Amino acid sequence: MPEINTLAEAERVMTFCNACRYCEGFCAVFPAMELRRTFAEADLNYLANLCHNCRDCYYACQYAPPHEFALNIPKTFTELRLETYQKLCWPRSMAGVYRSNGLVVSWITIISVLIVSLLTLLFSGPAKVFSTHLGEKAFYTLIPYAAIVPLALILVGLMITGSLIMAYNFWHVTGGKLAQIANLQANRTALMDALRLKYLTGGGYGCNYPGEQFSMARRWLHHFVFYGLMLCFVSTAVAAIYEHFFHHSAPYPFLSWPVILGTTGGVALLIGTSGLFYLKLRMDTIPSSSHVMGMDVSFLALLFLTSLTGLLLMMFRETSAMGTLLMVHLGFVVAFFITMPYGKFIHAIYRYASLLKNAIEQKI
Amino acid sequence: MGIALIDTLNSDRKWDVLVIGGGNAALCAAMTARKAGAIVLLLECAPKHFRGGNSRHTRNLRYMHESANNYLTGPYFEDEFMEDLMRVTDGQTNEALARFTIHQSKNIGEWMSNHGCMFQPAMRGTLHLSRTNAFFLGGGKALINSYYAMADKLGVTILYDAEVLGMEIRHGKFYSATVVSKDVSHRLQAKSVVVASGGFQANLEWLKTYWGDAADNFIIRGTPYDKGTMLQVLLDNGAKPVADPRQCHAIAVDARAPAFDGGIVTRLDSIPFGIVVNKNAKRFYDEGENFWPKRYAIWGRLIAQQPDQIAYSIIDSKSIRLFMPSVFKPIKANSIRELAQRLNIIPAVLEKTVSAFNTSIHHGRFDPLELDSCYTENLTPPKSHWARPIDSPPFFGYSLSPGITFTYMGVAINEKAQIVMEDGTLAPNIFVAGEIMSGNILGQGYLAGLGMTIGTVFGRVAGREAAQYARN
Ligand SMILES: Cc1cc2nc3c(=O)[nH]c(=O)nc-3n(C[C@H](O)[C@H](O)[C@H](O)COP(=O)(O)OP(=O)(O)OC[C@H]3O[C@@H](n4cnc5c(N)ncnc54)[C@H](O)[C@@H]3O)c2cc1C
Ligand code: SF4
Ligand code: SF4
């Protein structure tokens, strides 16, 4: 069976919705659609990435399958997003990684954990790795600070460069002007929309997820993941400041800022990722696309394992398991940063760009 | 068949209240009866995916309210509501029942919210009705989904794929209903019944008795399940009919629309901005007689009276962006001749019609939001407003068919939603709600959002009365 052209299908769906507009209260997609009469590729790429996949418009649609019009926006837009991810990818040659993303992310993770572990064992020797180390700089006796810093800088640098270039690609293909990016007011609106996950509130009642009932569960769990991740980043940044400016090295005491922030973040991530995974197991598959299952699940799994190993490392850092946990955790962290722009995380970049474009064109 | 289903269909079991239908009126009745303590079975002939009748295609309802709220921008008092109703029906209404409906509709949005309805604040697409009509967030299907969830939670037993084919009625009293579920026929007994099975617009054979073969070219905008079987049964058992059986709410829809269930998206709003011709390429009615919201509902009937029940809306590039975007792309051409060829109407005649129209125009100030001063002179039929020459290519054409929204004929009732028989007596335990009785209030004409109002008001009344009868 030939693949139906996702772009043509998205255009068809939007043409129906624009003649109907019953769903305009759910999210930003419909009011944005109403500003248009025809839907070119640029419009559709934008609308698809503005969609938060709350599924409210699927259950509310009198034309959802098995109706002969068979409108399925969440599914269509999910597939179109996947196409935009590939189209806008930098470097171009990496575009394929979004396709069998689950496999790619899994392999990168496995290889990353193996390499970090091998290098650690090679340079520090098994005896050192499998024994107990106490006190300040305990971690660095196994993996030298001088190795971690450049590695971190390179990884973060690559991640930011990749994300920025792709964000620029998105802005460009959806017809945005560079100067508009600096629009402060629009950025404020977009930021608030993103931080509150306004468009997962479905006009005040939540998502139709995992099934037909309205629920805020997904929104809350996403908050756990997002703010959990933020706390972990802040924890790392604070630790870097301690290290760099105060020459006060990890591991830090349990009642220090890096540990408190990191632990809270890590626990939030565990709750958020496992909750989202649980919902995914129970979700109605008709408004979903099987093409992104691997991408979604591998991202959740990687986040979950990174947090879990981080927390275990914190708990068992004064035992002989520390060395093993450190290698494995670091392996996961490295894999996480490498795959960030080439997996599910990229949705955050395009979503923000879409929210910004939306704020500009609706002049909120 | 599951245990639960066998128990539900058990012919020895006697329900308090049977509700026949699965749209807005039926759900309001079922929830109300259940809350009043009755054991209720709701029978919906559609499968679950298509549940909700025409109600799943709706968007808003109108109700009396004395102050603004989160989703209504200002008050809508009884007198204004009544005036609106009298105007559109031209007096074809039971005034006492009409006033009763308006009274009972007061603040009905609160009741709806308490039963799961979600409303949305006024937005771009809803502004012109934002004071009088409350819009359902996500439209009628979302409303219906919430109602089904609530009915289920309240303990109403719900059966899909359950078509009621007959009712055992003796001397105006209901005893049982025959329902076909999964190809097996069952007889279900109940103390009282609420019939909320909609109009008969999906029954083309029935429509043909009034319209002849013309009905073959009708498009039914809503559910294919509203065949009027229950209406026929009630009439056969001596219920008194109301409203003209030929009357139906009919608008112009794109001729490419599916035969049933195309809903809101197939309508076309291009008519006031161009001309409309029939298959002989001749105009037949004033396209700019009044504002479109006041006139759109006459065009179904107008087209139904044309040969082969087909017409063509012709506009030029000046007007293509002036109306709600259409779901089907217009036929496009660079000359009137080519357009006629592509629409399959006689080119020479269309050219003549267009040029006669163009040359008769009095050029005023064009304003789509006003009854403007662009009209034709010495042209029959005239075009009274928004007449601009059709001369800027590309030209666009849409083929139009009559799209039937609902029929008007129903059964006569009193303020307890009880059926009035031909001989003036009342059926003791048969209550009706929704489209099947809206002819009492809307004898003709239409007021946007009133269908759902009538269904909600009388659904609640019927549910309450049926439960009360069952418990005594
Ligand atoms: C496209 C469209 C848009 C509309 N928009 C609006 C609007 O915005 N506002 C408004 O007020 N009105 C609107 N209307 C009119 C509105 O749909 C009706 O007035 C209203 O839905 C009637 O409700 P009801 O419950 O009586 O009938 P329906 O909702 O049609 O329900 C009838 C039910 O009975 C079931 N049924 C029929 N026969 C049987 C049987 N023999 N056995 C078992 N079940 C049976 C059907 O399956 C159906 O579930 C619109 C109509 C259409 C077609
Ligand atoms: S999803 Fe369906 S109900 Fe919602 S706007 Fe589109 S066509 Fe209308
Ligand atoms: S799935 Fe949700 S966010 Fe996406 S278009 Fe539909 S209602 Fe909007």
Side-chain angles (χ1 to χ4, degrees):
Chain A
M1 212 176 75
E3 277 250 325
I4 49 159
N5 180 335
T6 311
L7 208 59
E9 174 62 5
E11 188 205 357
R12 184 185 79 91
V13 167
M14 279 293 100
T15 306
F16 271 88
C17 291
N18 211 15
C20 168
R21 305 186 172 186
Y22 282 11
C23 291
E24 67 178 355
F26 282 138
C27 69
V29 169
F30 298 92
M33 163 197 86
E34 290 173 18
L35 297 178
R36 296 160 166 79
R37 274 187 93 87
T38 51
F39 302 96
E41 188 172 349
D43 302 306
L44 294 166
N45 286 337
Y46 158 57
L47 293 171
N49 281 285
L50 188 58
C51 167
H52 287 47
N53 193 23
C54 77
R55 300 157 169 245
D56 291 355
C57 66
Y58 167 75
Y59 294 97
C61 186
Q62 61 274 26
Y63 306 122
H67 190 284
E68 64 184 284
F69 291 163
L71 304 190
N72 191 337
I73 298 179
K75 180 176 180 184
T76 308
F77 275 179
T78 301
E79 290 177 353
L80 188 55
R81 278 194 297 274
L82 186 59
E83 287 195 0
T84 57
Y85 295 174
Q86 295 172 73
K87 204 178 75 179
L88 305 174
C89 184
W90 178 87
R92 287 287 299 153
S93 53
M94 294 279 284
V97 300
Y98 295 108
R99 264 287 157 198
S100 32
N101 197 254
L103 218 58
V104 173
V105 171
S106 305
W107 275 114
I108 291 180
T109 309
I110 292 169
I111 293 170
S112 161
V113 171
L114 284 179
I115 291 183
V116 173
S117 305
L118 277 177
L119 286 177
T120 313
L121 286 169
L122 211 66
F123 285 102
S124 299
K128 227 162 128 190
V129 171
F130 297 122
S131 58
T132 311
H133 304 267
L134 296 176
E136 202 161 298
K137 296 197 193 309
F139 295 157
Y140 302 137
T141 53
L142 297 183
I143 304 180
Y145 183 64
I148 289 186
V149 172
L151 178 71
L153 288 179
I154 290 170
L155 286 176
V156 172
L158 277 178
M159 187 274 283
I160 292 179
T161 316
S163 300
L164 282 181
I165 292 178
M166 292 191 235
Y168 172 78
N169 286 349
F170 180 85
W171 201 251
H172 182 70
V173 302
T174 56
K177 305 220 174 14
L178 212 51
Q180 292 175 314
I181 296 180
N183 183 330
L184 266 185
Q185 210 193 342
N187 270 291
R188 195 177 317 131
T189 308
L191 198 62
M192 284 311 290
D193 291 348
L195 293 179
R196 291 174 45 226
L197 289 176
K198 179 171 172 194
Y199 298 115
L200 282 185
T201 63
Y205 301 88
C207 309
N208 283 165
Y209 190 85
E212 189 193 297
Q213 298 271 4
F214 283 86
S215 156
M216 289 287 180
R218 179 138 175 256
R219 178 163 171 254
W220 283 113
L221 291 167
H222 190 290
H223 275 330
F224 271 98
V225 172
F226 179 83
Y227 289 102
L229 199 56
M230 287 301 130
L231 285 174
C232 292
F233 287 152
V234 174
S235 156
T236 312
V238 172
I241 292 169
Y242 278 11
E243 176 71 51
H244 198 78
F245 295 104
F246 302 102
H247 303 290
H248 177 25
S249 294
Y252 299 103
F254 288 117
L255 280 181
S256 64
W257 280 114
V259 175
I260 293 174
L261 291 168
T263 309
T264 321
V267 171
L269 274 167
L270 287 187
I271 297 172
T273 50
S274 44
L276 286 174
F277 182 68
Y278 174 72
L279 293 184
K280 205 166 253 315
L281 289 179
R282 298 185 30 175
M283 80 182 173
D284 182 352
T285 52
I286 298 173
S288 328
S289 167
S290 55
H291 302 320
V292 295
M293 198 63 177
M295 177 188 287
D296 292 359
V297 171
S298 63
F299 183 66
L300 289 177
L302 184 51
L303 269 178
F304 180 88
L305 291 172
T306 311
S307 320
L308 185 70
T309 48
L311 288 170
L312 288 175
L313 175 61
M314 190 263 302
M315 283 156 71
F316 296 103
R317 64 193 189 184
E318 288 173 355
T319 72
S320 57
M322 187 272 270
T324 316
L325 286 168
L326 182 66
M327 299 182 311
V328 175
H329 178 60
L330 216 61
F332 280 124
V333 172
V334 169
F336 179 69
F337 276 95
I338 293 177
T339 56
M340 252 171 118
Y342 305 104
K344 176 76 187 177
F345 170 81
I346 198 68
H347 84 278
I349 305 290
Y350 297 140
R351 187 69 34 83
Y352 184 78
S354 305
L355 286 169
L356 182 61
K357 186 176 171 64
N358 185 243
I360 292 168
E361 70 175 21
Q362 297 283 2
K363 295 192 192 63
I364 314 174
Chain B
M1 202 184 285
I3 303 281
L5 192 57
I6 292 175
D7 185 45
T8 302
L9 295 171
N10 181 350
S11 59
D12 292 333
R13 177 167 181 181
K14 191 156 183 177
W15 298 86
D16 287 343
V17 178
L18 278 192
V19 176
I20 302 175
N24 174 56
L27 287 158
C28 291
M31 291 189 288
T32 308
R34 180 73 196 110
K35 273 192 155 173
I39 311 291
V40 182
L41 172 62
L42 180 142
L43 301 164
E44 159 65 297
C45 70
K48 190 173 177 198
H49 279 295
F50 290 107
R51 68 186 181 186
N54 273 2
S55 305
R56 68 201 284 280
H57 285 288
T58 63
R59 185 175 200 190
N60 60 56
L61 97 170
R62 173 185 298 257
Y63 65 85
M64 174 186 159
H65 52 277
E66 288 169 348
S67 56
N69 60 28
N70 288 341
Y71 37 85
L72 290 160
T73 54
Y76 189 42
F77 294 107
E78 178 178 345
D79 289 344
E80 187 189 353
F81 199 155
M82 192 68 193
E83 262 168 47
D84 287 342
L85 187 63
M86 294 307 284
R87 187 177 24 88
V88 299
T89 58
D90 210 5
Q92 294 286 313
T93 179
N94 175 331
E95 237 184 285
L97 277 182
R99 202 166 277 282
F100 174 80
T101 309
I102 292 173
H103 258 276
Q104 295 289 314
S105 81
K106 186 174 169 186
N107 297 337
I108 212 169
E110 263 169 51
W111 182 89
M112 296 173 69
S113 298
N114 292 336
H115 288 76
C117 172
M118 304 164 298
F119 290 107
Q120 69 169 58
M123 296 184 66
R124 198 179 287 129
T126 65
L127 287 177
H128 67 290
L129 288 169
S130 61
R131 180 173 63 88
T132 54
N133 290 38
F135 284 74
F136 317 134
L137 180 68
K141 184 163 174 217
L143 169 77
I144 291 297
N145 288 345
S146 308
Y147 276 176
Y148 270 103
M150 180 59 77
D152 182 56
K153 197 168 133 196
L154 291 172
V156 172
T157 306
I158 295 163
L159 214 54
Y160 300 106
D161 285 306
E163 183 177 10
V164 181
L165 291 179
M167 286 188 278
E168 185 189 348
I169 299 174
R170 276 179 267 129
H171 308 294
K173 187 168 177 208
F174 168 88
Y175 291 90
S176 71
T178 312
V179 54
V180 175
S181 179
K182 302 200 164 59
D183 294 328
V184 186
S185 171
H186 308 268
R187 181 172 160 272
L188 298 177
Q189 304 183 64
K191 294 175 189 159
S192 60
V193 67
V194 175
V195 186
S197 51
F200 64 95
Q201 64 279 348
N203 190 331
L204 289 178
E205 291 308 311
W206 196 342
L207 292 179
K208 274 188 188 177
T209 60
Y210 311 115
W211 289 91
D213 289 342
D216 280 332
N217 295 320
F218 289 0
I219 281 169
I220 309 304
R221 301 177 66 207
T223 179
Y225 297 98
D226 284 0
K227 291 199 158 75
T229 316
M230 291 300 98
L231 175 60
Q232 188 68 65
V233 170
L234 291 175
L235 294 174
D236 290 347
N237 279 281
K240 182 176 159 187
V242 288
D244 180 354
R246 274 183 69 95
Q247 280 278 352
C248 53
H249 184 275
I251 69 163
V253 297
D254 196 301
R256 292 165 287 184
F260 292 97
D261 228 16
I264 194 74
V265 296
T266 62
R267 80 191 176 305
L268 268 174
D269 300 331
S270 58
I271 290 173
F273 302 112
I275 59 168
V276 176
V277 300
N278 59 19
K279 70 174 279 204
N280 302 323
K282 296 267 170 58
R283 289 177 62 244
F284 52 89
Y285 198 83
D286 183 350
E287 300 90 348
E289 194 176 44
N290 205 334
F291 287 118
W292 185 238
K294 294 196 171 162
R295 280 296 168 272
Y296 77 102
I298 67 171
W299 278 89
R301 176 170 289 264
L302 289 171
I303 296 166
Q305 288 158 350
Q306 297 306 309
D308 289 350
Q309 295 70 51
I310 189 120
Y312 304 90
S313 166
I314 313 280
I315 56 172
D316 70 3
S317 58
K318 291 196 294 294
S319 304
I320 188 73
R321 299 181 72 87
L322 293 178
F323 52 94
M324 276 278 282
S326 62
V327 72
F328 299 103
K329 294 208 165 77
I331 305 293
K332 190 171 162 185
N334 283 319
S335 68
I336 294 294
R337 164 162 295 270
E338 186 194 339
L339 188 66
Q341 277 159 353
R342 301 194 55 191
L343 291 170
N344 221 354
I345 51 182
I346 308 161
V349 187
L350 186 62
E351 280 178 331
K352 228 176 108 191
T353 303
V354 170
S355 83
F357 171 74
N358 286 351
T359 49
S360 69
I361 288 170
H362 166 269
H363 295 268
R365 205 180 66 82
F366 175 76
D367 186 348
L369 301 175
E370 295 287 329
L371 290 175
D372 72 1
S373 52
C374 298
Y375 51 84
T376 58
E377 288 165 326
N378 305 322
L379 187 73
T380 348
K383 186 176 180 195
S384 309
H385 303 284
W386 310 297
R388 290 192 298 176
I390 299 175
D391 58 4
S392 315
F395 302 100
F396 299 96
Y398 290 101
S399 49
L400 308 171
S401 288
I404 314 298
T405 320
F406 54 79
T407 45
Y408 282 84
M409 181 178 60
V411 292
I413 58 156
N414 67 2
E415 288 187 0
K416 291 182 169 176
Q418 244 175 330
I419 288 190
V420 181
M421 309 302 278
E422 286 276 21
D423 60 11
T425 57
L426 293 168
N429 64 347
I430 309 177
F431 305 88
V432 294
E435 212 60 79
I436 195 170
M437 47 62 59
S438 64
N440 288 272
I441 291 132
L442 275 175
Q444 66 173 52
Y446 189 61
L447 201 51
L450 197 62
M452 294 297 277
T453 313
I454 295 173
T456 311
V457 164
F458 282 95
R460 291 179 62 195
V461 172
R464 185 190 71 212
E465 295 296 326
Q468 195 177 356
Y469 180 92
R471 279 185 312 164
N472 289 338

